[in-house]
Amino acid sequence: MTGVSGRRLRRSRAAGAAVAVLALLAGGCADQVTPPGAGPEQPAGTSAPAAPATTEAGPGPAALPRSRPVTLEIPAIGVRTGEIIELGLEPDGALEVPEDAVTTGWYDQSPTPGEVGPSIIAGHVDYDHVPGVFHRLHELPVGAEVVVHRADGTTVHFEVDRVERFPKAEFPTELVYGNTEAPELRLITCGGAFDDSSGNYVDNVIAFATMTEAGR
């Protein structure tokens, strides 16, 4: 399956308190972050950067071979997705975003869930007045289970280590994309206040999780 072209979501400045409230609900956002090795200087059509180099898995469940994620479940916040799409990069190097409220997307140059390294999955907090698939991501408790079903028929279970909010201007690139010793997962959406002048939320909400088991 090929990646779809994401779009950046922009809103014009609205007048009045009622419209400002609607902006908080309708200014959909996934992550709009730039993976390492990509940036504005990257010309359009340049291939996405290679996945971060990974090390051999440390103690814990054995890592799996590469196989793309198909669906995602997060029981603690009521998430059960349809098919996960593949996300590439925009011409300016920013990560593409899903084009509706309910779809999640996997960054196709990151490890697949179950491989050693951080697998990146993004989804909207809201989109076009509709709560997004990750609108409750900030509520996810430590220890919660995340389940990913893969194309090869394996199911990978992750445990949430922490959920944090970061200003977009201080996005923690190394924490999100950097090498890890075990198979890990990053779930990314937007959060914090909505800046109506730019049409974006000011923060990213990121859940960090580590694989606990896998099977068929």
Side-chain angles (χ1 to χ4, degrees):
M1 178 177 65
T2 58
V4 300
S5 295
R7 69 180 185 186
R8 292 183 176 278
L9 304 170
R10 296 287 184 265
R11 292 172 52 84
S12 60
R13 178 172 291 278
V19 178
V21 171
L22 287 176
L24 290 171
L25 298 175
C29 170
D31 67 301
Q32 298 182 338
V33 298
T34 302
E41 71 279 0
Q42 185 176 11
T46 301
S47 59
T54 56
T55 59
E56 293 185 3
L64 302 175
R66 192 168 181 84
S67 179
R68 70 173 181 84
V70 176
T71 61
L72 171 74
E73 299 174 39
I74 314 176
I77 56 173
V79 170
R80 187 182 182 92
T81 73
E83 185 167 2
I84 297 170
I85 64 172
E86 296 181 14
L87 300 176
L89 298 180
E90 298 280 11
D92 65 357
L95 190 63
E96 292 177 337
V97 297
E99 294 192 328
D100 60 49
V102 299
T103 299
T104 53
W106 162 69
Y107 175 41
D108 63 7
Q109 294 301 307
S110 72
T112 59
E115 284 190 288
V116 175
S119 185
I120 311 297
I121 295 179
H124 288 288
V125 65
D126 54 48
Y127 187 98
D128 196 21
H129 308 278
V130 177
V133 64
F134 283 166
H135 76 282
R136 294 181 59 199
L137 191 67
H138 66 284
E139 301 176 14
L140 195 58
V142 171
E145 182 180 53
V146 179
V147 182
V148 180
H149 303 280
R150 308 189 335 155
D152 64 0
T154 56
T155 297
V156 188
H157 297 257
F158 294 85
E159 182 176 296
V160 173
D161 302 315
R162 64 191 188 279
V163 178
E164 298 188 45
R165 194 173 80 187
F166 301 92
K168 288 188 177 181
E170 302 171 15
F171 186 82
T173 300
E174 183 62 27
L175 279 177
V176 173
Y177 293 99
N179 297 345
T180 65
E181 294 184 354
E184 297 191 11
L185 184 65
R186 310 286 187 255
L187 305 176
I188 307 177
T189 193
C190 286
F194 185 83
D195 180 0
D196 192 55
S197 64
S198 68
N200 288 310
Y201 287 92
V202 299
D203 296 335
N204 284 116
V205 175
I206 305 172
F208 298 80
T210 302
M211 187 174 85
T212 57
E213 62 177 312
R216 292 183 182 271

